[in-house]
Amino acid sequence: MEQLAWNGRARLSAIFFYNRFSDQIESVPQDGLVTLGVPQAIVDSTPFGAFVNSLATRALGAESELELNLGHGLTARAAYTYLDSVVRRSFSSDELFPSFNPAFPTVPIGAFSPLVGNRPFNRAPHTGSFYVGYSRRKLTLTLSGNFVGRRDASTFLFDPTFGPGMLLPNRNLAAAYQKIDFGGSYRVNRHLELYTGMENLASQHYDAAPGFPTLPFNFHSGIKLTLGGESWK
């Protein structure tokens, strides 16, 4: 659905979705291959299991976006997404033999993959973004932000004896994070442009994917040269 307002200078859109994904690839152990009906001769020849298209997930939710043309070279945009996703079928080793941390004896844990009924890893139920831009003659400025809510994940860690003591419950294990960036450019002439960008203005420490920390506040600047042109002008 889409609605224009303010003489076409404002646009509000909303998308509702329901998706079912089947035959997704996953690592299946020998016991899982037997459950899938794989012939025993093939099972015996794959002592470490195999990758099979047996995973199924479902995703439903909504996306909304508001765009504004404020005039005088100023534009703004904001978006929000709600996602309800769940694993519907799996034959992974985690699903067949979930881990249990002694500190949480009643909570099954997926060490390497999500369990049936839980959310797929790194799929945040709530995400949002905004963008504010200014472009006037030779100057362009942008301010943007991305907001990601808590997500299911795994520590993927075992203790020295390969015990589950370093595994934590998957639910909301990955923390929420926010990333705000600022950038700008100035075109001196048709051949020369100066630009700069500053990322993670709040210098927030976060892992977009567990175990892979991103940079704190950082910036870059440079010069862009354009050589040649359209000879027919």
Side-chain angles (χ1 to χ4, degrees):
M1 298 183 294
E2 184 174 292
Q3 178 64 51
L4 297 178
W6 200 13
N7 295 323
R9 296 169 62 183
R11 182 180 68 88
L12 177 64
S13 63
I15 299 173
F16 300 90
F17 58 87
Y18 178 86
N19 299 320
R20 296 178 64 181
F21 304 99
S22 59
D23 298 331
Q24 296 176 286
I25 194 168
E26 65 176 344
S27 178
V28 177
Q30 281 188 317
D31 291 341
L33 296 177
V34 173
T35 304
L36 284 168
V38 176
Q40 191 62 46
I42 297 178
V43 173
D44 294 339
S45 66
T46 56
F48 300 103
F51 287 95
V52 182
N53 294 89
S54 55
L55 176 66
T57 60
R58 183 267 289 157
L60 65 87
E63 301 174 348
S64 59
E65 183 178 59
L66 174 63
E67 293 185 6
L68 297 173
N69 181 354
L70 302 175
H72 304 287
L74 190 63
T75 58
R77 181 173 65 249
Y80 168 76
T81 299
Y82 171 73
L83 172 64
D84 178 14
S85 59
V86 65
V87 177
R88 299 172 62 95
R89 185 185 68 231
S90 174
F91 296 90
S92 68
S93 57
D94 284 306
E95 179 59 33
L96 298 177
F97 311 104
S99 301
F100 288 88
N101 186 327
F104 310 96
T106 62
V107 182
I109 298 173
F112 300 102
S113 58
L115 305 180
V116 171
N118 291 351
R119 297 191 297 242
F121 288 170
N122 292 320
R123 299 292 190 272
H126 305 282
T127 57
S129 65
F130 76 87
Y131 170 89
V132 179
Y134 174 81
S135 181
R136 195 74 168 176
R137 297 179 181 176
K138 298 182 178 182
L139 179 65
T140 298
L141 300 173
T142 61
L143 178 67
S144 61
N146 290 283
F147 307 89
V148 179
R150 300 176 68 181
R151 298 147 288 150
D152 286 11
S154 173
T155 62
F156 303 105
L157 297 176
F158 290 88
D159 58 35
T161 60
F162 298 99
M166 298 183 70
L167 290 172
L168 297 175
N170 304 122
R171 189 70 171 181
N172 290 332
L173 184 60
Y177 67 89
Q178 304 83 39
K179 183 174 182 287
I180 300 176
D181 305 325
F182 175 79
S185 65
Y186 181 79
R187 179 171 292 278
V188 180
N189 53 48
R190 68 189 187 96
H191 297 292
L192 178 63
E193 182 179 349
L194 311 177
Y195 67 88
T196 188
M198 292 178 284
E199 299 185 3
N200 198 359
L201 293 179
S203 197
Q204 184 175 18
H205 297 275
Y206 66 93
D207 294 359
F212 294 88
T214 55
L215 290 174
F217 171 74
N218 63 94
F219 70 92
H220 58 272
S221 298
I223 299 174
K224 181 179 178 180
L225 295 175
T226 302
L227 303 178
E230 298 174 343
S231 59
W232 55 268
K233 282 189 176 180

